[in-house]
Amino acid sequence: SLAITNLLEGKKVPVYGDGLYTRDWLYVEDHCSAIDLIIEKGKIGETYCVGVDNDTPNINVIKSILKILGEDEDKIEYVKDRPGHDRRYAIDSTKIKRELGWMSEYDFEHALELTVNWYKENKDWWQKIKNKDFDKYYEKQYGENKP
């Protein structure tokens, strides 16, 4: 997550527009368990949407990450919105729950803490990805979009 790694590096977190873009946040372990279940019990050719019905605005996620890391909201940097940015990605996960019996095991707050801790404990992994080329991409993506 760009938000987590930026904060761990002492940088600000870019937030598009007003930050009220809503997503259904799903923990990676839950996502993997759903994929495994689909492979084991799903019907070939069927589509299964995976979700936890936890539509949460991006800004709330950022504020939760800040709280976990003991940071203030002055670490938020609002940037100009992207053209055509979807306000909400909505899916219906009824089918995987009804037909395959899948349910998430992690609640949002606990999953977010686990995610933040993973990034804290695995800096060697993500810092290799965030090299000079990433810095150029980041400046192009967000630097020119500051309000």
Side-chain angles (χ1 to χ4, degrees), residues 42-75:
K43 294 177 185 169
I44 294 175
E46 290 292 317
T47 299
Y48 299 92
C49 295
V50 181
V52 291
D53 305 316
N54 182 35
D55 290 357
T56 305
N58 291 348
I59 192 65
N60 292 6
V61 176
I62 297 300
K63 288 178 180 180
S64 293
I65 293 169
L66 289 168
K67 186 176 179 182
I68 292 167
L69 290 173
E71 297 283 356
D72 294 323
E73 289 185 22
D74 64 351
K75 291 285 190 174

Side-chain angles (χ1 to χ4, degrees), residues 1 13 19 37 40-42 55 64 73 76 78 83 89 98 100-101 108 110 114 120 135 143:
S1 164
V13 178
L37 184 62
E40 285 183 33
K41 296 183 179 180
D55 290 357
S64 293
E73 289 185 22
I76 296 172
Y78 291 92
Y89 297 147
R98 183 186 65 238
L100 304 183
F108 175 74
H110 181 64
L114 291 171
K120 286 167 67 175
D135 289 342

Side-chain angles (χ1 to χ4, degrees), residues 73-92:
E73 289 185 22
D74 64 351
K75 291 285 190 174
I76 296 172
E77 179 177 40
Y78 291 92
V79 297
K80 185 179 175 185
D81 200 4
R82 299 180 305 194
H85 196 176
D86 293 326
R87 290 298 273 183
R88 180 173 183 242
Y89 297 147
I91 64 162
D92 181 357

Side-chain angles (χ1 to χ4, degrees), residues 22-27 30-31 34 38 47-56 86-97 102 104:
T22 303
R23 305 291 183 257
D24 184 6
W25 295 89
L26 175 68
Y27 185 55
D30 281 332
H31 199 179
I38 292 166
T47 299
Y48 299 92
C49 295
V50 181
V52 291
D53 305 316
N54 182 35
D55 290 357
T56 305
D86 293 326
R87 290 298 273 183
R88 180 173 183 242
Y89 297 147
I91 64 162
D92 181 357
S93 58
T94 304
K95 183 176 178 181
I96 191 170
K97 293 172 183 173
W102 181 82
S104 64

